[in-house]
Amino acid sequence: MKLTIIGCSGSVPGPASAASSYLVEHDGYRLLLDLGSGAFGALQRHLDPAEVDAVVLSHLHPDHCFDIAPMVVHRRFGAGRRLPRIPVLGPSGTHDRLAMAYDPGARMGLRDVFDFAAVTPGERTLGPFRLRFARVNHPVPTHAVRVSAGGRALAYSADTGPSDALVSLAEGADVLLCEASFDEGAANPPNLHLTGREAGEHAAKAGAGRLLVTHVPPWVDAARVAEAASAAFAGRTDLVAADQAYEL
Ligand SMILES: [Zn+2]
Ligand SMILES: [Zn+2]
C-alpha cells in the first residue's frame, strides 16, 4: 500500500500545502481520503484525476470536501467526454451539501458524476481495500477510517478531539495518520481537535507502528506540534508535508 500526501494543511489551505487529501494506492486502485480546499490542483502533480477510482470523505467541513466541486467540472468536461461515475463515500447528506456548494440552482445534482454512499461505523470493501469506519469526536458527523490491504493497515484520524474510538480503530495499525491541530496549553475548545501530545498519546495507546502527524493549521508552529507528538510516542514520528509518499 502506498500513501501520498496530496494536502495536509489543517483547517485551511496554507502557503505550502492544500487542505486535507491523501492518496492511497494498492494493486492499481486509487483511493482518495478527503479532497479539501486546493487539493484538486495538487492532486494533478501525482496523477491524471480521471484515474481516481473512489473518494472517501471523512466529514463535510470545507477543508476536507470542497474540492469535489472542481472534480465535478473535470469529470463532466475535462476529458472531452463525461467520465464514468465513481463512488463517493461520506456522511449522510453528502450529496445535498456538495451539490449546493457546486451550484445551488442546478436541479440535477451530482449523481451523473458520483455514486454516493453514506458511511456508517463498521466495515465495507472498496476495490482491494477493506475499510473500517468509526465515528470520532468532532462537532459534525465525522468518521476516522482504517484502510487495510496486502496485510498492511493505515488508520486515518480525520478531524477529532480525544477519542477512544480512534484508539480502537488504530489498534496495531502500521501507520496512524493523525491530526494535531492545537498548540499545547492554549485555551483550546473541547471536542474539536488534538494537540501534538494527544496525537502521540493516541498512537501509543493504539500500539501503532508509526505516527504521521498532519492537519497542522498555518497559524500553528508545526515543528513544535510534531515535537510534542514525538515526546508522547516511542515509535517513529514524522510531520508530513505535501507530495511526500510512504510505502506501508
Ligand atoms: Zn479539518
Ligand atoms: Zn473538521
Side-chain angles (χ1 to χ4, degrees):
M1 196 177 351
K2 182 183 176 190
L3 165 69
T4 304
I5 311 300
I6 303 300
C8 58
S9 182
S11 303
V12 297
S17 175
S20 293
S21 186
Y22 308 96
L23 174 64
V24 185
E25 297 171 271
H26 182 70
D27 257 0
Y29 194 95
R30 288 148 164 163
L31 168 66
L32 278 181
L33 302 180
D34 286 336
L35 194 55
S37 328
F40 190 76
L43 177 66
Q44 293 166 66
R45 293 201 290 267
H46 297 277
L47 82 177
D48 177 346
E51 294 172 344
V52 172
D53 291 295
V55 184
V56 167
L57 300 174
S58 63
H59 65 301
L60 298 180
H61 280 154
D63 62 314
H64 295 258
C65 71
F66 266 17
D67 266 27
I68 284 285
M71 195 177 218
V72 171
V73 177
H74 179 265
R75 294 196 75 81
R76 282 183 181 153
F77 311 112
R81 65 191 164 90
R82 185 171 302 178
L83 295 168
R85 298 196 314 161
I86 57 170
V88 171
L89 279 60
S92 114
T94 293
H95 171 268
D96 291 355
R97 171 74 187 275
L98 295 178
M100 186 66 82
Y102 179 75
D103 181 358
R107 289 210 195 99
M108 66 179 178
L110 306 178
R111 292 198 170 91
D112 60 317
V113 181
F114 298 121
D115 183 12
F116 288 92
V119 166
T120 49
E123 296 211 15
R124 71 163 69 208
T125 301
L126 197 58
F129 296 112
R130 203 169 77 247
L131 306 180
R132 183 144 62 93
F133 294 98
R135 177 84 182 257
V136 288
N137 182 12
H138 203 52
V140 298
T142 303
H143 297 96
V145 61
R146 180 184 181 110
V147 182
S148 306
R152 309 291 283 172
L154 162 72
Y156 168 47
S157 66
D159 282 6
T160 186
S163 167
D164 290 340
L166 174 60
V167 171
S168 301
L169 187 81
E171 192 180 344
D174 298 285
V175 169
L176 171 58
L177 175 63
C178 192
E179 77 120 285
S181 312
F182 285 151
D183 251 328
E184 208 62 51
N188 298 324
N191 306 313
L192 185 61
H193 291 299
L194 298 174
T195 65
R197 175 180 55 79
E198 289 168 333
E201 288 170 354
H202 280 65
K205 279 190 208 159
R210 181 177 182 182
L211 173 60
L212 296 178
V213 174
T214 191
H215 199 280
V216 182
W219 52 84
V220 170
D221 183 335
R224 198 163 57 208
V225 166
E227 203 174 305
S230 181
F233 177 56
R236 181 167 176 188
T237 303
D238 293 289
L239 178 68
V240 304
D243 303 318
Q244 285 174 346
Y246 303 87
E247 287 291 345
L248 270 73

